[in-house]
Amino acid sequence: MSARDYGLLAPAWAGTEAAELTDDTAFVQGMLDVEAAWVRVQGAAGLCPAEQVQRVQRAAQVRNYDLHELAQATPDGANALIPLLGMVRTRLSGEGAPVPAALHRGCTSQDIIDSALMLLAARTVPKIRAAVRRTATALAALAEEHRHTLCIARSLTQHALPTTFGLRAAKWLAALRAAAQRLDTLSFPLQFGGAAGTLASLDQFLSEDHDATSAELGAALAQELGLEYPLTPWHTNRQPILDLSSALGSVLAALGTLGADVLTAARPEVGELSEPHAAGTGGSSAMPQKRNPVHSILLREAALSSPGLISTLFTAAGTAVDERPDGSWHAEWSALRELLRLTGGAAEHAATLAEGLMVHPDKLERNLQLGGDAVLSERMVTVLADRYPGGAAAIRAEVVDALDGGPTLRQRLRRHLPVEQFSNAALDALFDPAGYLGSADRFISNTLSDFTTWKESWQSLS
């Protein structure tokens, strides 16, 4: 029987790299990696013989263990590390030699589990970053390509003012860029404090005629694992988890907005956007004609799923007590892993969506025209209030009357504006949506300039 969760009820991340990097096999291997790295560090410091180091390295392979058996034993200690260590020791003792004393020396379960979770995050976040950067690059191209493509802006679901599709894409990009900044500044600290966060057992051992210090060994372990060495253990200081979950949640929120906007625009009656078509995707089990916008749906699923997970992590952090939390620590594990999975999966779907998104300018223009003259009513009030009989209030009344039918707003205004005072050409220009875009072009330029700077920064590191 397999203990692996394949994600059949979680299509936002099923089958993605994030799923493989965070499954139970990866987590168990992460715990074994921490234990093995700690023994290697001790061996390098002369605290155990090379033969013991080699034995532990051979034993620290997840393929050696039955994860179903491990899962069944996990409730007995309320965490998976305790029975896993028992399995490792049994395997080592079966080799006809004592279990190496360096195994788990001076550590506690939380050291290994928290460090293993940081390893999983450190291995998954770069994949998320890469997909986010692909998405951002595609959005930047859309913003530039459609800088002057007119469309209708919507406010509270209703037609508002003219805008450009380029600005809409730039806004998606700006949100994703802000979220990516949080990803780029994340740290993944080692957890290393011993039973009560004092490293008392390790320090006691080292005080018995050993030159190494626990600070030196801790720093070496962090380096061995590619994690950061913190100033103190963080057993009940859960800020590393909160920083990580906040960053992941920000990415999911930005991608959720992208997905929701595409879902609206891809409705056949709106028709402004289409998802990329690929064989085998978007089909219906019953209706052959349907092409479902699956990437956007999965972005929305991820965005809707993440707040509860983040709430769990913040609640757990706020109720962490003593030197090891009783239950709140345990509540973090599945929530954090699911956030990593959701963000990794959503980032992959977003990259595919953005890179293949089809924009239909004719439908954008059609929907802009649906609002008629009324979409420029704000401009009429701003420009004509001082010269129109009755001022701004009269213009607003004309707008309301025009919405009820009869003459258009342009025709109504023309009746009360002397041609010699305001020519037909001037009035036509006033109703040109391309002339009422405000700072849209500047905002696009600002966003693209910031994106270029960001892109140069990540390219310089590659």
Side-chain angles (χ1 to χ4, degrees):
M1 178 177 178
S2 173
R4 181 174 177 178
D5 180 359
Y6 288 95
L8 299 183
L9 297 180
W13 56 258
T16 64
E17 281 190 290
E20 185 173 351
L21 289 169
T22 58
D23 66 11
D24 281 352
T25 299
F27 172 60
V28 173
Q29 187 60 63
M31 291 190 289
L32 293 170
D33 287 345
V34 177
E35 294 283 9
W38 176 222
V39 174
R40 288 197 302 275
V41 166
Q42 293 177 75
L47 302 178
C48 68
E51 179 269 335
Q52 291 189 7
V53 174
Q54 293 167 2
R55 289 179 61 207
V56 171
Q57 307 313 300
R58 289 194 299 269
Q61 302 297 323
V62 67
R63 63 177 178 270
N64 295 329
Y65 306 100
D66 183 335
L67 298 194
H68 181 58
E69 179 185 342
L70 177 61
Q72 289 182 313
T74 291
D76 294 339
N79 72 61
L81 189 276
I82 293 172
L84 177 62
L85 264 180
M87 290 178 171
V88 174
R89 287 173 171 142
T90 297
R91 184 178 187 85
L92 289 168
S93 65
E95 297 175 347
V99 175
L103 178 66
H104 202 64
R105 175 181 277 149
C107 294
T108 191
S109 299
Q110 190 169 3
D111 292 335
I112 307 305
I113 291 174
D114 280 355
S115 295
L117 288 171
M118 286 296 104
L119 273 183
L120 261 60
R123 293 165 179 172
T124 306
V125 167
K127 303 294 185 181
I128 296 172
R129 285 196 190 108
V132 164
R133 290 169 180 177
R134 281 178 54 202
T135 305
T137 300
L139 293 179
L142 286 171
E144 184 60 67
E145 180 183 355
H146 294 283
R147 182 186 285 266
H148 304 297
T149 301
L150 292 175
C151 64
I152 188 67
R154 297 177 176 90
S155 173
L156 303 179
T157 76
Q158 302 300 297
H159 284 198
L161 297 174
T163 185
T164 67
F165 184 75
L167 181 58
R168 185 169 295 155
K171 289 179 178 178
W172 293 334
L173 173 59
L176 190 57
R177 160 71 169 120
Q181 280 184 300
R182 305 186 72 174
L183 278 183
D184 291 343
T185 58
L186 282 175
S187 64
F188 305 98
L190 175 75
Q191 178 71 276
F192 191 60
T198 63
L199 285 177
S201 175
L202 180 60
D203 283 330
Q204 180 66 49
F205 169 75
L206 294 175
S207 70
E208 299 170 1
D209 197 29
H210 296 291
D211 293 333
T213 68
S214 59
E216 292 168 343
L217 294 175
L221 177 57
Q223 184 175 18
E224 183 77 13
L225 292 169
L227 301 177
E228 295 191 18
Y229 185 54
L231 296 175
T232 62
W234 43 282
H235 290 162
T236 52
N237 167 20
R238 309 311 287 168
Q239 290 304 313
I241 300 295
L242 299 187
D243 290 343
L244 176 57
S245 62
S246 295
L248 297 174
S250 294
V251 171
L252 287 171
L255 296 181
T257 295
L258 167 62
D261 280 348
V262 173
L263 286 171
T264 297
R267 290 173 179 268
E269 60 270 27
V270 179
E272 296 173 353
L273 301 174
S274 298
E275 284 205 354
H277 297 153
T281 63
S284 165
S285 65
M287 295 165 283
Q289 86 281 5
K290 284 189 71 184
R291 281 182 171 172
N292 296 317
V294 291
H295 298 296
S296 302
I297 288 170
L298 296 180
L299 294 186
R300 186 159 171 78
E301 179 212 334
L304 289 170
S305 300
S306 63
L309 301 169
I310 296 169
S311 175
T312 294
L313 292 168
F314 272 76
T315 301
T319 56
V321 295
D322 302 323
E323 277 63 54
R324 181 161 304 114
D326 52 346
S328 60
W329 173 48
H330 306 70
E332 291 177 350
W333 307 335
S334 59
L336 181 60
R337 179 168 72 170
E338 189 65 11
L339 263 183
L340 284 167
R341 288 172 162 179
L342 282 172
T343 312
E348 286 190 36
H349 288 292
T352 301
L353 172 63
E355 289 171 346
L357 188 65
M358 292 178 281
V359 182
H360 307 299
D362 58 328
K363 301 298 175 50
L364 290 165
E365 173 66 21
R366 179 199 67 185
N367 292 335
L368 172 61
Q369 295 301 325
L370 286 177
D373 293 340
V375 298
L376 276 304
S377 61
E378 182 188 65
R379 189 182 197 188
M380 301 305 125
V381 173
T382 302
V383 175
L384 300 177
D386 292 340
R387 64 185 78 189
Y388 195 80
I395 295 175
R396 291 191 178 96
E398 299 280 19
V399 173
V400 173
D401 290 342
L403 292 175
D404 290 335
T408 66
L409 178 60
R410 187 181 320 213
Q411 293 167 338
R412 292 170 185 273
L413 295 180
R414 180 74 284 170
R415 290 185 309 195
H416 298 287
L417 281 174
V419 174
E420 60 273 14
Q421 181 182 352
F422 209 86
S423 69
N424 286 329
L427 190 59
D428 289 343
L430 207 57
F431 276 101
D432 180 2
Y436 197 61
L437 296 173
S439 295
D441 195 65
R442 175 169 63 89
F443 295 150
I444 294 171
S445 294
N446 288 348
T447 302
L448 292 179
S449 176
D450 178 68
F451 167 74
T452 298
T453 301
W454 176 37
K455 186 175 182 179
E456 288 171 351
S457 72
W458 86 57
Q459 288 179 331
S460 68
L461 297 174
S462 60

